[in-house]
Amino acid sequence: MSKRIANQIALALLWTSALTTVAVLFAVILYVVVNGIGQLSLGFIFTWPRGVNAEGGVWPTIVSTLYVTALAMVIVTPIAILAAVYLAEYAVQGRLVSIIRCAADTLASVPSIVMGLFGLALFVEAAHIGFSMLSAALALTFLMLPIVMRTTEEAIRAVPKYIRWGSYGLGATKWQTVRRTVLPAAMPRILTGLILATGRAVGETAVVIYTMGQAINMPVSPLDSGRPMTVHLYLLAMEGINLPAAYGTALLLMIMILGFNLSARYLLRRTRKV
Amino acid sequence: MTRMPAPIVSPTPAAPAPDGPDKITVKGLEFYYGDFHALTDVTVPIKSTAVTAFIGPSGCGKSTFIRCFNRMNDLIPGTRLEGKVTLDGQDIYAPGVDPVDLRRRVGMIFQQPNPFPMSIYDNVAFGPRLHGITKKSELDDLVRDSLDRANLWKEVKDILGRGGLTLSGGQQQRLCIARVLAVQPEVLLMDEPCSAIDPTSVQKIEDLMAVLKESITIIIVTHNMQQAARVSDFTAFFLQEVAGEAAVLVEYDRTTNVFTSPRDKRTEDYITGRFG
Ligand SMILES: Nc1ncnc2c1ncn2[C@@H]1O[C@H](COP(=O)(O)OP(=O)(O)OP(=O)(O)O)[C@@H](O)[C@H]1O
Ligand SMILES: [Mg+2]
């Protein structure tokens, strides 16, 4: 077999595989869009559910989802950044740091339903917080923390050495160097990691189903319970009460997550030019 | 084989600078990276308000040596230094000397231009702000003055708010020079500052060095023999004769002497391009 034919076959294989991936993505998106687009209206987005919560809109579930996500990210962000700065810049690189890193990676791969169960036992019951935004946010924190910490650490490590040298060379202390040059230089990638994590939190179902409750409710205080979009979608579909509304909710969720991912990409691309 | 090296310097070299006092002295310096002995028995003065060039083949420890003057090597784990390095007569490796304070007095320019990812103005104001200057008018003056001394003011005076990384490589390097000048160092270390930039910027940097050396002590590492001959008053030639063994200072003298009548055969071979 000539080299040229081998080359052509390899190319065809690569091309087909790439095409398959893209095709699957578009099939899913198209399916949800076709089935859900008829539902989408300002009324659907901004009104409350009616009847047995199967008719009407989804507004409180959107608020619940955004509420718990925002609360979780407010807790996750500072802890993750401080931990990552410590690991990347201060900790003596050795056994202990490898163990912490390995633990974070393992934690990140715990199935989210296990994390939900843990959140139920720890926050809802043992700590008597009850089904609430706070319980759900804390459980989400457990899920997001290792992910955000690792992406932040990678972002910090990716800052070129000579940027640090420039700062030290001007008589900056270690902390000044970290705060004024390393973190700003790493910020685009840190933010990207945060936004991607936010997208994941928005789509998370297993953790919140155990910790937030299911009652349709407009959360005001962190101790209020509520029903996130993912759980609403699950109930609409599983109980077969209103499939079109389920697709409408699914489409809304996808649009939100897509929005997060695209803004992350935009941010990365824009700041690369500075 | 000719006895006399081909003259590299222009036939009418700049008038030799008067032998000023020593800004820095190095006595019996030994330097180690862990088990690797990088430099041995280096003793050399660095003359005040003059340009001293460090030359030698790749890997002979020029960067290592220049980093000894602002204790940048402290940042590399496992390094060790023996011997004595003084700045204005004061031992900079004595206990109690804070390398952070030392680096304000001894600024450094690296081979790779390394502006911070922030505006041109903020890059230059970075050092002064570190050291507690916050008044806008004072910062404005410092930024303008430093950019001017770095031969960059004319090119950037209308775009001070633009990101430092949007400049060309040569402009970035001059921005880094301005950034260092803004903390008003007494000594400027330049490790191959011109090897990654365009000829116009090289010219501008050589010009500014000629002005700066009136008030600042400059050390430059360069692979470019013509550049060493053009810009420096004194030259130190380093050589690692056997791979894996410590490098030594082979010859130190006025630049004109080193380039026209080197005392050591190895110096002559190097500057005539016979190796390295
Ligand atoms: N961080 C380090 N750890 C261990 N060894 C090092 C380190 N930096 C440099 N060396 C070694 O020290 C010796 C001198 O290196 P140095 O970078 O000072 O040479 P140089 O003269 O600046 O070379 P070049 O002209 O290529 O820049 C080399 O053998 C190098 O491998
Ligand atoms: Mg070097």
Side-chain angles (χ1 to χ4, degrees):
Chain A
M1 194 166 53
S2 82
K3 275 187 193 157
R4 237 187 97 222
I5 295 180
N7 188 41
Q8 303 255 305
I9 292 176
L11 205 66
L13 268 175
L14 293 174
W15 203 79
T16 319
S17 315
L19 195 70
T20 311
T21 316
V22 177
V24 168
L25 177 68
F26 273 97
V28 173
I29 292 179
L30 198 69
Y31 187 73
V32 177
V33 169
V34 166
N35 286 291
I37 195 87
Q39 285 288 320
L40 278 199
S41 66
L42 284 182
F44 182 70
I45 297 174
F46 290 110
T47 62
W48 282 60
R50 284 193 316 271
V52 283
N53 292 333
E55 310 291 321
V58 293
W59 181 234
T61 69
I62 296 179
V63 176
S64 295
T65 288
L66 292 180
Y67 195 121
V68 76
T69 305
L71 193 58
M73 294 319 286
V74 164
I75 304 172
V76 166
T77 305
I79 302 178
I81 291 183
L82 289 176
V85 166
Y86 176 74
L87 278 191
E89 294 285 331
Y90 284 88
V92 180
Q93 306 298 315
R95 275 286 290 280
L96 184 66
V97 170
S98 316
I99 292 174
I100 295 178
R101 226 170 259 142
C102 175
D105 289 343
T106 312
L107 196 63
S109 61
V110 170
S112 59
I113 195 148
V114 175
M115 223 41 117
L117 199 62
F118 181 72
L120 174 72
L122 187 65
F123 304 121
V124 178
E125 283 165 3
H128 296 293
I129 306 178
F131 291 107
S132 62
M133 297 296 139
L134 184 59
S135 295
L138 289 172
L140 269 181
T141 300
F142 275 65
L143 194 74
M144 310 313 297
L145 195 54
I147 301 174
V148 177
M149 190 190 83
R150 292 292 271 132
T151 55
T152 307
E153 195 197 340
E154 295 306 325
I156 292 174
R157 280 183 195 283
V159 173
K161 265 209 188 76
Y162 49 82
I163 295 243
R164 293 159 215 260
W165 293 342
S167 173
Y168 284 120
L170 292 168
T173 62
K174 179 151 199 177
W175 174 239
Q176 286 171 326
T177 299
V178 169
R179 194 171 68 84
R180 297 187 192 214
T181 55
V182 176
L183 280 180
M187 205 39 85
R189 290 186 57 173
I190 295 178
L191 285 180
T192 306
L194 279 171
I195 294 175
L196 290 177
T198 307
R200 254 202 79 172
V202 165
E204 181 51 45
T205 314
V207 165
V208 283
I209 207 167
Y210 277 117
T211 47
M212 192 193 280
Q214 295 186 4
I216 296 283
N217 194 13
M218 183 66 85
V220 180
S221 114
L223 296 177
D224 291 342
S225 71
R227 178 192 286 185
M229 293 171 80
T230 47
V231 173
H232 187 57
L233 164 61
Y234 170 79
L235 293 173
L236 284 177
M238 285 317 283
E239 294 169 11
I241 38 183
N242 189 345
L243 264 177
Y247 281 116
T249 313
L251 181 56
L252 264 183
L253 255 180
M254 272 187 13
I255 292 173
M256 283 165 68
I257 293 172
L258 202 69
F260 279 116
N261 288 6
L262 289 181
S263 56
R265 288 189 64 122
Y266 172 76
L267 198 78
L268 244 194
R269 194 138 17 104
R270 222 195 53 154
T271 43
R272 243 186 227 140
K273 287 196 201 121
V274 172
Chain B
M1 215 195 320
T2 49
R3 293 301 290 142
M4 285 298 291
I8 290 172
V9 270
S10 51
T12 51
D19 256 8
D22 297 348
K23 181 72 181 174
I24 296 173
T25 62
V26 179
K27 288 210 176 71
L29 178 132
E30 309 282 333
F31 193 89
Y32 303 84
Y33 289 103
D35 291 334
F36 176 60
H37 195 170
L39 285 165
T40 186
D41 195 26
V42 179
T43 298
V44 71
I46 306 292
K47 293 293 176 191
S48 187
T49 58
V51 177
T52 302
F54 293 169
I55 60 171
S58 189
C60 69
K62 305 177 296 295
S63 297
T64 304
F65 189 48
I66 203 174
R67 287 196 300 258
C68 291
F69 300 118
N70 65 346
R71 292 186 59 172
M72 214 60 173
N73 288 319
D74 289 19
L75 301 174
I76 304 171
T79 55
R80 191 156 54 84
L81 179 143
E82 288 163 12
K84 196 164 175 185
V85 183
T86 68
L87 174 66
D88 286 341
Q90 186 201 8
D91 184 352
I92 62 171
Y93 283 89
V97 172
D98 187 348
V100 169
D101 296 330
L102 174 69
R103 291 183 198 130
R104 290 174 197 186
R105 299 175 61 195
V106 184
M108 183 155 190
I109 303 294
F110 303 86
Q111 175 172 4
Q112 191 65 39
N114 58 351
F116 301 135
M118 50 182 83
S119 72
I120 294 171
Y121 184 98
D122 288 338
N123 262 284
V124 184
F126 186 91
R129 281 182 177 140
L130 276 184
H131 307 142
I133 298 177
T134 51
K135 228 173 87 195
K136 178 90 169 64
S137 59
E138 203 173 337
L139 284 174
D140 286 352
D141 288 348
L142 260 173
V143 168
R144 187 199 163 115
D145 185 53
S146 307
L147 285 168
D148 194 38
R149 293 213 285 163
N151 266 350
L152 187 61
W153 174 251
K154 286 200 198 85
E155 289 153 75
V156 301
K157 63 176 190 289
D158 298 321
I159 52 166
L160 292 177
R162 264 238 309 260
L165 291 164
T166 62
L167 297 174
S168 78
Q171 290 175 322
Q172 289 187 16
Q173 190 64 300
R174 282 177 283 148
L175 177 61
C176 294
I177 293 175
R179 190 174 70 186
V180 169
L181 293 179
V183 298
Q184 289 159 338
E186 302 157 36
V187 179
L188 187 58
L189 311 175
M190 309 175 96
D191 190 351
E192 296 188 47
C194 297
S195 59
I197 61 178
D198 60 283
T200 318
S201 285
V202 171
Q203 183 61 52
K204 291 191 166 159
I205 288 176
E206 290 184 4
D207 291 347
L208 73 89
M209 286 174 71
V211 177
L212 281 181
K213 75 170 185 181
E214 307 283 318
S215 53
I216 296 180
T217 303
I218 299 178
I219 303 175
I220 181 172
V221 172
T222 177
H223 274 281
N224 181 328
M225 292 305 108
Q226 280 84 358
Q227 183 175 56
R230 275 195 306 267
V231 302
S232 72
D233 305 296
F234 300 90
T235 296
F237 170 59
F238 294 85
L239 185 63
Q240 180 190 35
E241 281 194 288
V242 186
E245 275 181 23
V248 293
L249 172 66
V250 172
E251 183 156 352
Y252 166 82
D253 203 341
R254 288 181 165 285
T255 298
T256 32
N257 296 345
V258 171
F259 280 89
T260 52
S261 50
R263 277 172 283 134
D264 197 293
K265 179 79 173 59
R266 294 166 296 179
T267 314
E268 180 184 326
D269 285 349
Y270 180 71
I271 61 175
T272 53
R274 221 154 288 155
F275 67 89

